[in-house]
């Protein structure tokens, strides 16, 4: 099994050429981010990806107000199931053109009823079948998969449903590390298609610095969960697995009072995490091959 480590579009320049140059310079295998709305920008991105040999994971964020710059990722209460599905379909349709590996979607709404969730995910999985593009559903606050228990029930309802596992969000929602829900972690690992390896803790979705001694307990807990995913993926015979160290500013990174100065450098942490997980994966692979 091969590990592909990607960087987030949100932690780099918005200019496509500069983004690709930085991605290559720092040793990442590809980029994860939204498909550009503008047709010419999409063509530029596709060209740059083809020229550089980088892979691309397309992000689809559903049910949002495109013109809202504040909390743009939060689903709007007036967006219907049809609106969410239209947003997802827009990305899926264009993922073909841009040669994306798959679509990872932050979708649904935490306020939906069970019946609304069943309707949305049932139709989303039908979209996946009809399009031929893999759709991986992200575990994320404010979304349908905002907690382990709803996610467990939806996975049981839809046996082909795949996950983008960002367990940092659940640490906040549950206000604890997730080893208490080991059976759910095992089920998630069986369906895991992609990992976003942010490290969260019971009071925040991102530790200030995973390199710090005080963050070691939470870092090691997350790595234990990611190891479980790798084990399940290898058992299924997956040829490639992907991981993206999605450390961000934008409210995720803690800041000093009054000055607003970040307490750590997000890009340093991102590159450190990418290299650490590459080393860990190589060690894990070697151990898995041993008799």
């Amino acid at each position: 099994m091969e590990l592909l480590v990607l960087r987030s579009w949100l932690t780099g320049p918005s200019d496509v050429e500069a983004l690709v140059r930085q991605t290559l310079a720092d040793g990442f295998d590809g980029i994860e981010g939204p498909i550009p709305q503008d047709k010419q920008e999409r063509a530029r991105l596709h060209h740059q990806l083809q020229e550089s040999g980088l892979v691309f994971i397309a992000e689809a964020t559903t049910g949002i107000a495109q013109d809202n710059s504040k909390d743009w990722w939060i689903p709007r209460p007036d967006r219907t199931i049809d609106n969410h599905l239209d947003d997802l379909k827009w990305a899926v349709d264009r993922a073909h053109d841009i040669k994306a590996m798959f679509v990872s979607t932050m979708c649904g709404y935490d306020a939906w009823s069970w019946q609304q969730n069943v309707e949305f995910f049932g139709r989303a999985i039908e979209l996946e079948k009809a399009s031929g593009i893999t759709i991986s559903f992200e575990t994320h606050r404010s979304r349908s998969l905002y907690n382990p228990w709803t996610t467990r029930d939806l996975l049981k309802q839809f046996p082909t449903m795949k996950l983008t596992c960002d367990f940092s969000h659940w640490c906040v929602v549950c206000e604890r590390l997730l080893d208490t829900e080991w059976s759910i972690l095992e089920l998630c690992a069986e369906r895991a298609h992609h990992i976003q390896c942010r490290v969260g803790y019971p009071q925040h979705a991102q530790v200030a610095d995973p390199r710090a001694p005080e963050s070691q307990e939470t870092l090691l807990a997350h790595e234990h969960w990611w190891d479980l995913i790798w084990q399940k993926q290898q058992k299924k015979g997956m040829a490639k697995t992907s991981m993206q160290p999605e450390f961000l500013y934008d409210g995720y990174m803690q800041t000093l009072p009054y000055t607003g100065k970040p307490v750590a450098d997000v890009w340093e942490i991102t590159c450190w995490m990418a290299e650490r997980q590459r080393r860990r994966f190589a060690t894990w692979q070697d151990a898995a091959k041993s008799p």
Side-chain angles (χ1 to χ4, degrees), residues 60-253:
T61 306
T62 72
I64 60 174
Q66 297 287 351
D67 58 350
N68 187 14
S69 60
K70 179 178 172 57
D71 296 340
W72 60 267
W73 59 90
I74 304 296
R76 303 303 163 192
D78 61 340
R79 295 302 196 265
T80 65
I81 290 174
D82 284 340
N83 294 148
H84 282 260
L85 287 164
D86 287 344
D87 292 341
L88 181 56
K89 188 175 186 304
W90 186 94
V92 166
D93 288 346
R94 287 151 186 82
H96 278 291
D97 299 335
I98 210 163
K99 300 293 190 297
M101 289 178 65
F102 57 89
V103 172
S104 179
T105 180
M106 190 165 65
C107 62
Y109 186 28
D110 56 5
W112 278 352
S113 68
W114 172 250
Q115 290 77 14
Q116 287 172 304
N117 278 321
V118 168
E119 180 183 351
F120 171 78
F121 284 97
R123 292 171 64 185
I125 290 168
E126 286 301 317
L127 171 63
E128 178 185 43
K129 291 177 183 176
S131 69
I133 290 286
T134 296
I135 300 175
S136 186
F137 301 95
E138 184 180 344
T139 59
H140 201 288
R141 290 168 298 157
S142 82
R143 297 296 179 163
S144 292
L145 305 184
Y146 73 99
N147 73 67
W149 307 284
T150 301
T151 303
R152 172 200 60 199
D153 295 344
L154 285 167
L155 289 173
K156 290 181 177 180
Q157 181 80 15
F158 300 106
T160 64
M161 182 175 167
K162 304 167 191 69
L163 292 182
T164 293
C165 294
D166 184 346
F167 294 131
S168 67
H169 295 282
W170 285 358
C171 293
V172 183
V173 171
C174 301
E175 204 169 9
R176 59 187 182 274
L177 298 178
L178 301 171
D179 293 298
T180 59
E181 310 304 319
W182 190 254
S183 63
I184 298 179
L185 288 173
E186 287 187 312
L187 177 59
C188 291
E190 289 170 1
R191 304 292 187 84
H193 192 72
H194 178 50
I195 301 170
Q196 290 185 345
C197 56
R198 177 188 290 114
V199 176
Y201 64 104
Q203 304 303 333
H204 200 301
Q206 181 173 295
V207 296
D209 193 332
R211 301 168 295 185
E214 62 270 22
S215 298
Q216 291 311 290
E217 179 186 4
T218 50
L219 172 62
L220 293 175
H222 282 70
E223 290 180 338
H224 188 40
W225 309 332
W226 303 335
D227 288 350
L228 178 64
I229 291 174
W230 290 340
Q231 291 164 14
K232 298 291 186 180
Q233 289 178 331
Q234 185 182 59
K235 188 175 181 180
K236 288 192 297 186
M238 285 182 64
K240 294 181 179 181
T241 184
S242 55
M243 175 175 268
Q244 192 251 105
E246 194 186 35
F247 286 83
L248 301 172
Y249 292 111
D250 203 17
Y252 280 98
M253 174 55 70

